[in-house]
C-alpha cells in the first residue's frame, strides 16, 4: 500500500479500492470453493450400514478369508545358494547369517554342512556360529542345573527339572550332538524326566517329552501310549499331541487316522505350520 502511495501519490483512493476489491474477491472465491468441496464430499459419501452386532468373533467362520502367508525364499533356496560353486564368499556369509536368524533344525544342519566348504572364510564363519549356539545352550544348561540344586520347594524343583530336560532335548533337536553323544543325551533326558515325574506323576510336558524320546529311539508303541496318556489326563488336543500322534499314525501306515487327528487341533487354521499339514491331509479339499 505504501509502495503504491509513493509511486502514485494522487491515486491513494484508487489503491485502497484496489486492495479492498482484491481481498473481497479472494475471500469470496475461497468461500465458494470450500462450499463446493463440502457439497461434492457429501454427495460422494457412502453410508456405512451396521448389519449386526457381534458379541464374539467366530474364527471358524472367518478363517477361510485369511490370506495365505508364504515365504518367497526358504531354507531350500538358501541351501541352493550355499551349494553353487560360483556363489561368492560374501554371499555365502550372508546366507549363513540369515540361516542363523531362522534358528531351526534345518537351518542349523545347513550351517553344519558349510563346515566342509572349500572356502576358509566360510568354514570359519560356520564354526563360529555353531560354537556360539552351543555355548549359549550350555550356559543355559549350567544355569538350569543351579536352579535345580538351589530349589527351595517342590514346585521350583519340578520347574527346574522341566527346564533342564528341554534344554538337553534342544541338543538333540538341533542336531548339535554327534552319534556318540546322542545316546548320552537321551539317557540324560530320561533320567531327568524320571526325577521330575517322581515329584509330579501327571505332568503333561514331561510325559510328552518322554514320548518324544521314545519316538526318536524307535519305540513307537511306548511313544503312542505316553501321548495318549497325556491326552487323557489333560483332555486338550494341543498342537504337540496332534502332530506327534499324526506322525505315529503315518509311521504305522494308518493314514486314515491322520485327518481326524489334525482336525482335533482347534487352532489348526490359524497356525502356519499346522495349516499346511491340514490342507495336505484334508480329504474334502
Amino acid at each position: 500500500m505504501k509502495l503504491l502511495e509513493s509511486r502514485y501519490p494522487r491515486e491513494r483512493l484508487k489503491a485502497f479500492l484496489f486492495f479492498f476489491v482484491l481481498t473481497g474477491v479472494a475471500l469470496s472465491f475461497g468461500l465458494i470453493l470450500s462450499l463446493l468441496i463440502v457439497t461434492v464430499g457429501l454427495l460422494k459419501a457412502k453410508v456405512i450400514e451396521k448389519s449386526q452386532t457381534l458379541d464374539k468373533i467366530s474364527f471358524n467362520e472367518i478363517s477361510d478369508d485369511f490370506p495365505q502367508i508364504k515365504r518367497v525364499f526358504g531354507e531350500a533356496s538358501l541351501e541352493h545358494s550355499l551349494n553353487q560353486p560360483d556363489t561368492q564368499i560374501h554371499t555365502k556369509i550372508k546366507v549363513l547369517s540369515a540361516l542363523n536368524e531362522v534358528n531351526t533344525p534345518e537351518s542349523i544342519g545347513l550351517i553344519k554342512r558349510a563346515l566342509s566348504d572349500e572356502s576358509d572364510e566360510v568354514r570359519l564363519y560356520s564354526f563360529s556360529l555353531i560354537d556360539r549356539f552351543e555355548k549359549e545352550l550350555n550356559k543355559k544348561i549350567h544355569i538350569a542345573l543351579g536352579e535345580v540344586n538351589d530349589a527351595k520347594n517342590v514346585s521350583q524343583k519340578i520347574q527346574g527339572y522341566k527346564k533342564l530336560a528341554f534344554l538337553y532335548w534342544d541338543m538333540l533337536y538341533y542336531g548339535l550332538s554327534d552319534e556318540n553323544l546322542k545316546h548320552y543325551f537321551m539317557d540324560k533326558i530320561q533320567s531327568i524326566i524320571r526325577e521330575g515325574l517322581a515329584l509330579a506323576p501327571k505332568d503333561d510336558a514331561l510325559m510328552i517329552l518322554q514320548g518324544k524320546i521314545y519316538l526318536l529311539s524307535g519305540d513307537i508303541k511306548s511313544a503312542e501310549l505316553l501321548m495318549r496318556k497325556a491326552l487323557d489326563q489333560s483332555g486338550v488336543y494341543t498342537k504337540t499331541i496332534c502332530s506327534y500322534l499324526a506322525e505315529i499314525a503315518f509311521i504305522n501306515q494308518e493314514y486314515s487316522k491322520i485327518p481326524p487327528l489334525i482336525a482335533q487341533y482347534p487352532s489348526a487354521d490359524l497356525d502356519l505350520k499346522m495349516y499346511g499339514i491340514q490342507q495336505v491331509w484334508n480329504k474334502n479339499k
Side-chain angles (χ1 to χ4, degrees), residues 40 57 59 87 95 97 101 116 118 125 143-144 151-152 164 170-171 174 184 193 205 207 216:
V40 173
I57 298 175
F59 286 102
T87 302
V95 169
S97 179
E101 293 295 327
S116 59
E118 60 183 11
Y125 187 68
I143 294 174
K152 297 179 180 179
L164 189 59
D170 284 344
M171 283 288 191
Y174 288 105
Y184 165 78
I193 291 175
M207 291 173 62
L216 185 62

Side-chain angles (χ1 to χ4, degrees), residues 5-261:
E5 289 181 358
S6 62
R7 296 192 61 180
Y8 306 100
R10 298 180 181 180
E11 304 294 338
R12 185 174 182 180
L13 179 60
K14 292 182 178 180
F16 174 78
L17 291 174
F18 170 76
F19 279 103
F20 179 80
V21 172
L22 179 64
T23 304
V25 170
L27 290 174
S28 301
F29 180 77
L31 180 60
I32 294 171
L33 183 61
S34 300
L35 291 173
L36 182 62
I37 292 174
V38 172
T39 303
V40 173
L42 291 174
L43 292 175
K44 296 291 185 179
K46 295 181 179 180
V47 178
I48 300 176
E49 296 182 359
K50 187 177 180 182
S51 58
Q52 60 179 341
T53 301
L54 296 177
D55 295 330
K56 60 181 180 179
I57 298 175
S58 175
F59 286 102
N60 291 330
E61 295 179 2
I62 66 175
S63 60
D64 292 337
D65 298 330
F66 281 8
Q68 295 187 19
I69 302 174
K70 300 179 180 179
R71 291 185 298 174
V72 177
F73 298 104
E75 288 83 351
S77 62
L78 296 178
E79 180 182 10
H80 178 75
S81 299
L82 285 176
N83 293 333
Q84 289 299 307
D86 57 343
T87 302
Q88 297 182 0
I89 293 176
H90 73 272
T91 301
K92 290 185 177 182
I93 297 296
K94 290 182 179 178
V95 169
L96 291 172
S97 179
L99 288 170
N100 186 54
E101 293 295 327
V102 174
N103 197 17
T104 63
E106 294 77 16
S107 64
I108 297 298
L110 291 176
I111 295 175
K112 289 179 68 176
R113 287 172 58 181
L115 293 172
S116 59
D117 193 89
E118 60 183 11
S119 169
D120 292 338
E121 292 91 336
V122 174
R123 291 199 303 271
L124 287 172
Y125 187 68
S126 302
F127 177 79
S128 67
L129 293 177
I130 296 295
D131 183 61
R132 186 188 311 163
F133 190 82
E134 282 191 81
K135 285 182 177 178
E136 290 179 357
L137 196 52
N138 282 318
K139 182 179 179 180
K140 292 179 181 178
I141 290 175
H142 179 74
I143 294 174
L145 280 170
E147 292 177 354
V148 171
N149 295 328
D150 298 337
K152 297 179 180 179
N153 52 56
V154 175
S155 178
Q156 290 181 1
K157 200 86 168 179
I158 294 171
Q159 292 302 318
Y161 280 133
K162 289 169 66 174
K163 184 177 180 180
L164 189 59
F166 278 98
L167 286 171
Y168 274 116
W169 167 255
D170 284 344
M171 283 288 191
L172 298 175
Y173 180 72
Y174 288 105
L176 297 176
S177 60
D178 54 26
E179 288 299 321
N180 296 327
L181 290 175
K182 182 178 179 179
H183 294 289
Y184 165 78
F185 282 120
M186 291 176 65
D187 293 339
K188 188 70 175 177
I189 295 170
Q190 294 192 77
S191 175
I192 297 171
I193 291 175
R194 283 194 296 269
E195 296 287 343
L197 289 177
L199 299 175
K202 295 184 178 182
D203 190 282
D204 297 339
L206 290 175
M207 291 173 62
I208 293 173
L209 183 56
Q210 179 67 73
K212 293 179 183 180
I213 296 296
Y214 283 141
L215 190 60
L216 185 62
S217 62
D219 191 350
I220 308 301
K221 185 176 181 180
S222 297
E224 184 175 11
L225 287 173
L226 268 181
M227 293 292 179
R228 293 286 182 186
K229 186 178 179 181
L231 178 60
D232 292 339
Q233 286 186 174
S234 64
V236 179
Y237 281 87
T238 63
K239 173 183 176 181
T240 302
I241 290 178
C242 289
S243 60
Y244 276 103
L245 285 176
E247 181 179 350
I248 290 170
F250 182 84
I251 293 172
N252 291 333
Q253 298 183 359
E254 298 173 333
Y255 306 121
S256 60
K257 293 183 178 180
I258 297 177
L261 281 170

